[in-house]
Amino acid sequence: MTAFLLTTTALTATVTVALPAQAAITCDTDTTGGSTFYDGPSASRKYDARFSNSASIPNLSTHTPQGAGTWYNWDGSGKNLLLVASYRSGADSQIYGIDPATGSTVGVVAIAESHVGGIAVSKGWAFVSGAGSSIRKYSLTALRDALKAAGTPYLTQVGTARDVAAASFIGTYGDSLFAGSFNETGRGTMYEYKIATDGTLTTLAGAWEIPTKTQGLTVTAGHFIYSTSYGRTNRSNLYVVKRGQKDLDAAALSCFRAPSMTEGITEYNGTAYLVYESASHLYGSDPNTLNVIPRMHKATISSLTSLVP
């Protein structure tokens, strides 16, 4: 972006002051030598070399996947789940429990309608993006019972949704929840919230500046990994950002292209799992959709974070 000028006129002179501008961030688009394992054109060589196919996402004929999260030891027997949240306008949203070991869907739960752009688990709660800029919480005990039940049982949130600055996406690390804004035309902001044992969220001061068009986030000890996208005809971008600097221009980062229509991203056992909405009933049959991807894609976390050591 170019700098803009602030001009003030005095009685005898006009003074023009250059204000600082955001530096442009370059994303790697090189497809040389890339070999795709997915529909449509290659996004970038860096993407194709790191990611591969993973579990199929259910109910694409009725719902559109958005948020992704991880639930360790979900049933008390040491088994783990990937959680995917999906929406359909005018209908209940859904949460899918997917076994990362087998790729099978172990259960489907209905929840109140919202865009469900984020889902995350921490301290006995599942947090889900609610209506507007709000975050709902669900008891993990109740969610476990519902996932084990037959059919698609309805699960009610606990208490009142918590209004926050923005909840287009959600990520957690330890007892911290991170939630931020999707901004189509410029950079967004993200806040950190401390999670109490009763699921109460306490806002910490100071916002992170985040990439334009952020759709998903996973957090590691040293990095933020952002999924950004907008539009079925446009490629996505993945940003790996070293934690510490809240000013994006001051942070060490790497950006590279991904296939169109990325959404949530989550980390499980050293692997990143990335969700796409492109194969849903809204976009999959549209010839303008650049990459139609019905599966999650996966990559080792170390292959991503090594880009910004």
Side-chain angles (χ1 to χ4, degrees), residues 222-236:
H223 297 80
F224 295 121
I225 302 173
Y226 298 101
S227 154
T228 75
S229 70
Y230 188 68
R232 66 198 75 185
T233 62
N234 301 317
R235 289 181 175 87
S236 309

Side-chain angles (χ1 to χ4, degrees), residues 1-267:
M1 297 176 63
T2 57
F4 62 94
L5 300 179
L6 174 66
T7 301
T8 59
T9 302
L11 291 175
T12 58
T14 298
V15 180
T16 301
V17 181
L19 298 180
Q22 293 174 343
I25 296 175
T26 301
C27 293
D28 192 333
T29 63
D30 179 21
T31 58
T32 305
S35 178
T36 61
F37 55 91
Y38 48 86
D39 168 77
S42 171
S44 68
R45 183 168 53 88
K46 282 184 177 177
Y47 185 91
D48 297 344
R50 286 165 173 78
F51 281 84
S52 62
N53 278 319
S54 185
S56 296
I57 299 175
N59 294 355
L60 290 172
S61 63
T62 59
H63 285 69
T64 300
Q66 297 291 301
T70 300
W71 186 0
Y72 288 94
N73 193 25
W74 79 280
D75 64 352
S77 67
K79 294 183 179 179
N80 309 300
L81 282 185
L82 302 174
L83 298 177
V84 175
S86 262
Y87 81 95
R88 180 182 178 90
S89 295
D92 289 339
S93 297
Q94 294 182 340
I95 298 173
Y96 312 133
I98 299 173
D99 185 337
T102 65
S104 61
T105 300
V106 302
V108 180
V109 174
I111 59 172
E113 179 186 2
S114 76
H115 196 68
V116 293
I119 182 169
V121 169
S122 183
K123 302 196 74 167
W125 300 96
F127 298 94
V128 181
S129 300
S133 295
S134 71
I135 297 175
R136 301 168 180 163
K137 64 182 180 183
Y138 297 85
S139 160
L140 288 186
T141 300
L143 179 57
R144 179 185 301 115
D145 292 344
L147 284 169
K148 289 183 174 182
T152 308
Y154 184 88
L155 185 62
T156 302
Q157 71 186 62
V158 175
T160 303
R162 165 74 150 85
D163 287 325
V164 294
S168 301
F169 60 88
I170 297 174
T172 54
Y173 186 82
D175 64 352
S176 288
L177 181 147
F178 298 85
S181 59
F182 171 89
N183 187 342
E184 178 189 351
T185 59
R187 295 180 188 172
T189 55
M190 177 177 73
Y191 282 88
E192 179 179 359
Y193 304 85
K194 283 298 179 183
I195 307 168
T197 54
D198 65 354
T200 300
L201 302 176
T202 300
T203 309
L204 299 188
W208 274 268
E209 185 181 47
I210 62 172
T212 303
K213 303 173 184 176
T214 296
Q215 299 274 15
L217 165 74
T218 194
V219 186
T220 74
H223 297 80
F224 295 121
I225 302 173
Y226 298 101
S227 154
T228 75
S229 70
Y230 188 68
R232 66 198 75 185
T233 62
N234 301 317
R235 289 181 175 87
S236 309
N237 289 316
L238 294 181
Y239 288 77
V240 182
V241 180
K242 194 76 172 286
R243 289 177 61 177
Q245 293 286 348
K246 292 186 175 181
D247 178 352
L248 197 59
D249 290 314
L253 62 81
S254 178
C255 176
F256 60 94
R257 285 283 174 85
S260 63
M261 307 189 82
T262 61
E263 288 294 332
I265 183 169
T266 189
E267 184 270 340

